[in-house]
Amino acid sequence: MDLTKTVLGIELGSTRIKAVLIDESFVPVASGDFEWENQLVDGVWTYSMDAVHTGIQTCFANLKADVRARYGVELDSVGAIGVSAMMHGYLPFDADGKQLAEFRTWRNTITGEAAAKLTELFGFNIPQRWSIAHLYQAMLNGEEHVKDIAYLTTLAGYIHWRLTGKKLMGVGEASGMFPIDSSTCDYDEGMLQKFKALTGLDLRTILPKVLPAGAKAGMLTEAGARFLDPSGTLRPRIPVAPCEGDAGTGMTATNSVRVRTGNVSAGTSDFAMIVTDHPLGVHREIDMVTTPDGAPVAMVHCNNCTSDINAWVNLFSEFAELIGVHVGRGELFTKLFRKALEGEPDCGGLMSFNYFSGEGVTDLDEGRPIFARMQNADFTLANFMRTHLLSALATLKIGMDILTETEQVRIEKLYGHGGFFKTPEVGQRMLSAAVSTPVSVMETAGEGGPYGMALLGAYMLWKEEGESLPDYLDNKVFAGAKSVTLMAESADVEGFAAFLARYRKALPMERTATEVL
């Protein structure tokens, strides 16, 4: 193995830190990971910096062990490194590099006042999880540390800083801190000036510098090498790509960075990312971010997707054990998902809400999972499972309708990835029925975010002069990629529309449940 012809991508996700090493054919050749969980500390969802440091170092050590076991060589260098992480959040530091407040993650909903005021000020939707909302809320709260902030960054930006000493990030990650002007691939100057007039703070003095995909974002320093690999094996002077957020790496891993393409990530939560070709109006349900090369992206983010499905599968698994039948979870998921294909297109009068937590798109601060049915409904297992699969996509569809109907956004290609699509055909066909668009699932998307980050590192390292990121992915990375594309039948499309009409009408039931249960 020629280690100089490999690229390392690392992503700090919400439940797992994962590293993927790819070769010059863009094939994953080794991996390592570390599982972790966020903590609720004094009402704030956070990860401690000790956990961040331990996690990324353990993840890298596990990658080294995998390389050693597979190839009999010591991982002491690579051609390039790239780091990504959960977008948004709040990590402030003083001039000496001291952390001033616990890391506040995207999961927090404690910035409502700030988000609303900034949305009105900018004429641009500022979601609660964005870094600027956290900063302004801290100002409104009169938090003592604000006056000492010399650098504000995200988790990916922090790791990049530790590896290279550089205070910068990729434009896609930066678009979750503060609005981006895609024509300049930089923070929106007009909005910066409005914030300065409001608060007196020049954000350029504390925000990371912004770089597009493909730019050189520093070299691994001696201290950075020891941070990532305390054993001392990893050598410095490795080029490092601009760090990115998990949204950008997901777009890259599914080849969804070209205008009028999009991807849907569906697992514990689900979100759609659609690369737009024209400016959009302001909608509370739609976040505007960018691709790693700065193109505007409309994002519909839903907090709930498969958690309720998982709970029901657990119940069926418990019943199977009760009657003396052992079925593996993977097999049980596959059987139940495939059974849903036999259900009536509109689910035969059954209804469910999959809200384990609140949901911004439907304006609910809390959630209660609900299953309900009409007395004369056709209560079969097929209809039951189909109901839960459609329910998992219903809120996403409500948000996407704003894009396709109100804003006339065209979607020419839509890619699906995540656990919802693991059973062949089923989730793919349900999503196609929801959005009335062909849906593709690619084999190469299996490694997810860290794979996408590795591809961005490869683009920085191996692109030709003037070669755009969309062209590089189309012509070099995914030219021979295998994928399966499905278009739902018209009866499925019509059935989902009928289900969604009942779903919208029944939403007051969900709101009442949060008040009485």
Side-chain angles (χ1 to χ4, degrees):
M1 172 179 281
D2 184 351
L3 292 171
T4 65
K5 294 181 179 179
T6 64
V7 179
L8 171 59
I10 303 173
E11 183 159 285
L12 293 90
S14 57
T15 60
R16 188 169 63 151
I17 302 173
K18 186 171 183 181
V20 170
L21 191 69
I22 65 171
D23 63 14
E24 56 188 332
S25 299
F26 316 108
V27 174
V29 294
S31 64
D33 65 359
F34 175 82
E35 293 187 359
W36 66 343
E37 285 288 348
N38 52 197
Q39 304 294 324
L40 187 63
V41 180
D42 297 328
V44 175
W45 288 105
T46 187
Y47 297 86
S48 72
M49 283 300 105
D50 286 343
V52 170
H53 298 172
T54 299
I56 197 168
Q57 290 166 2
T58 304
C59 174
F60 185 77
N62 290 337
L63 173 69
K64 286 176 59 181
D66 192 37
V67 170
R68 193 181 306 117
R70 288 173 182 264
Y71 308 104
V73 298
E74 198 64 30
L75 185 63
D76 60 359
S77 186
V78 292
I81 297 174
V83 176
S84 63
M86 301 166 279
M87 285 180 72
H88 319 299
Y90 183 72
L91 261 174
F93 297 88
D94 68 12
D96 296 322
K98 177 186 175 183
Q99 187 178 346
L100 296 173
E102 285 295 317
F103 173 43
R104 300 172 187 179
T105 76
W106 62 271
R107 191 176 183 184
N108 289 286
T109 52
I110 55 177
T111 65
E113 180 185 4
K117 289 183 176 179
L118 291 177
T119 296
E120 182 177 0
L121 176 69
F122 295 154
F124 183 98
N125 184 40
I126 302 294
Q128 287 203 49
R129 60 186 181 277
W130 281 30
S131 304
I132 189 60
H134 280 283
L135 173 62
Y136 188 43
Q137 191 66 54
M139 291 178 168
L140 294 176
N141 293 346
E143 296 185 40
E144 181 66 22
H145 75 269
V146 171
K147 62 179 175 51
D148 296 320
I149 297 176
Y151 184 44
L152 179 64
T153 190
T154 62
L155 186 55
Y158 169 74
I159 297 297
H160 188 94
W161 181 29
R162 290 297 303 264
L163 296 181
T164 66
K166 303 290 186 181
K167 296 178 179 179
L168 49 81
M169 62 177 47
V171 63
E173 174 74 344
S175 71
M177 292 195 76
F178 192 87
I180 292 292
D181 179 351
S182 289
S183 66
T184 63
C185 268
D186 201 357
Y187 302 116
D188 187 288
E189 185 62 34
M191 295 184 198
L192 287 174
Q193 293 305 318
K194 287 181 179 180
F195 190 83
K196 184 176 181 180
L198 176 68
T199 65
L201 176 60
D202 181 0
L203 286 171
R204 286 201 182 274
T205 64
I206 67 168
L207 290 180
K209 181 182 176 182
V210 181
L211 292 178
K216 291 180 171 59
M219 305 285 280
L220 184 68
T221 64
E222 183 71 41
R226 296 296 74 77
F227 169 73
L228 187 57
D229 181 20
S231 75
T233 303
L234 186 65
R235 300 198 301 265
R237 304 294 299 165
I238 298 170
V240 182
C243 64
E244 264 301 341
D246 51 358
T249 57
M251 283 186 275
T252 304
T254 54
N255 194 22
S256 306
V257 299
R258 194 178 290 280
V259 170
R260 292 187 293 278
T261 64
N263 76 92
V264 171
S265 174
T268 304
S269 62
D270 59 352
F271 56 88
M273 313 281 295
I274 311 298
V275 187
T276 65
D277 59 358
H278 62 271
L280 306 186
V282 179
H283 302 278
R284 178 185 55 79
E285 301 90 346
I286 309 296
D287 302 354
M288 291 304 301
V289 291
T290 78
T291 62
D293 60 341
V297 175
M299 180 180 188
V300 180
H301 184 279
C302 306
N303 290 339
N304 302 277
C305 184
T306 61
S307 293
D308 199 29
I309 296 172
N310 296 345
W312 283 106
V313 172
N314 288 341
L315 185 71
F316 289 131
S317 178
E318 188 178 344
F319 173 72
E321 294 290 342
L322 178 66
I323 62 173
V325 178
H326 175 73
V327 184
R329 280 180 57 81
E331 182 184 358
L332 187 56
F333 268 101
T334 298
K335 287 182 178 295
L336 290 171
F337 267 57
R338 295 205 64 81
K339 190 67 177 177
L341 292 177
E342 302 172 17
E344 297 173 54
D346 69 348
C347 303
L350 311 186
M351 179 55 57
S352 76
F353 289 91
N354 65 332
Y355 292 176
F356 265 59
S357 64
E359 194 59 79
V361 172
T362 47
D363 198 25
L364 287 162
D365 292 331
E366 294 183 62
R368 301 288 187 274
I370 291 176
F371 172 74
R373 61 191 173 101
M374 297 294 291
Q375 300 94 319
N376 60 347
D378 193 3
F379 190 25
T380 64
L381 180 60
N383 280 342
F384 180 83
M385 286 308 302
R386 192 180 186 97
T387 296
H388 287 289
L389 295 183
L390 297 197
S391 174
L393 298 172
T395 308
L396 185 75
K397 168 64 170 173
I398 291 171
M400 289 190 70
D401 280 349
I402 297 172
L403 295 179
T404 58
E405 297 176 9
T406 305
E407 294 290 348
Q408 299 297 303
V409 171
R410 288 176 55 203
I411 307 172
E412 295 177 351
K413 290 185 178 180
L414 191 65
Y415 296 93
H417 60 113
F420 189 80
F421 303 103
K422 190 171 183 179
T423 300
E425 181 184 352
V426 183
Q428 195 175 355
R429 192 171 293 281
M430 299 302 172
L431 177 61
S432 178
V435 298
S436 192
T437 298
V439 174
S440 301
V441 173
M442 305 175 67
E443 287 185 2
T444 48
E447 295 289 354
Y451 177 67
M453 191 63 242
L455 293 180
L456 291 172
Y459 175 63
M460 176 194 72
L461 197 62
W462 296 322
K463 73 180 188 302
E464 297 176 18
E465 186 173 353
E467 187 174 26
S468 71
L469 179 61
D471 285 347
Y472 185 82
L473 295 177
D474 276 347
N475 301 330
K476 303 282 180 61
V477 179
F478 294 107
K482 296 179 180 179
S483 65
V484 176
T485 301
L486 290 176
M487 176 65 204
E489 297 177 1
S490 58
D492 293 325
V493 175
E494 293 166 4
F496 192 98
F499 175 83
L500 188 66
R502 294 202 314 273
Y503 186 94
R504 288 177 182 269
K505 191 173 181 179
L507 265 170
M509 177 173 64
E510 172 67 22
R511 187 174 300 279
T512 300
T514 67
E515 297 167 357
V516 301
L517 290 178

